[in-house]
Amino acid sequence: MDGTPRQGFHVEEGAYGSYARQIDPLGDEVRGAVDKHLAPHADVDGDGFGELGHETGLADAYRGRMQGLQDDIRKLGGNWRDMADASRRTQGNYDVLEGDHQQVMRDLGKDLA
């Protein structure tokens, strides 16, 4: 840097893409946790709550809550993936804008020469 203070917005080259690559696996891991950790416990058929659990609706309430929990966690994992996709789109938009600014500066330089 030449000592001139920067003004405006600056992003290191490749920062958005790097961020997206870092959080991509997190979204997949969160979604995978549903099948690995929750799905095996989502149903209480058999003797889980006994006949009383089925008669009172406790078994159905549990099943419904576990399904809702799985849906919410899958959505959370999808949101992480969406965040990574947004970062990739931002990188593309930023690159286009930077290219436009560089072209304007080149054109100004030609006009001044």
Side-chain angles (χ1 to χ4, degrees), residues 20-80:
R21 284 188 302 279
Q22 288 174 4
I23 66 172
D24 273 336
L26 182 57
D28 296 339
E29 187 175 329
V30 169
R31 283 188 298 201
V34 171
D35 294 329
K36 184 175 182 180
H37 299 291
L38 292 177
H41 307 287
D43 202 355
V44 289
D45 283 343
D47 295 330
F49 288 119
E51 280 190 45
L52 185 60
H54 290 287
E55 290 174 9
T56 63
L58 181 58
D60 289 335
Y62 175 84
R63 187 178 304 111
R65 180 63 186 124
M66 289 301 288
Q67 183 60 51
L69 196 58
Q70 289 178 69
D71 294 345
D72 290 347
I73 293 174
R74 277 192 187 99
K75 183 178 177 184
L76 177 64
N79 288 344
W80 278 105

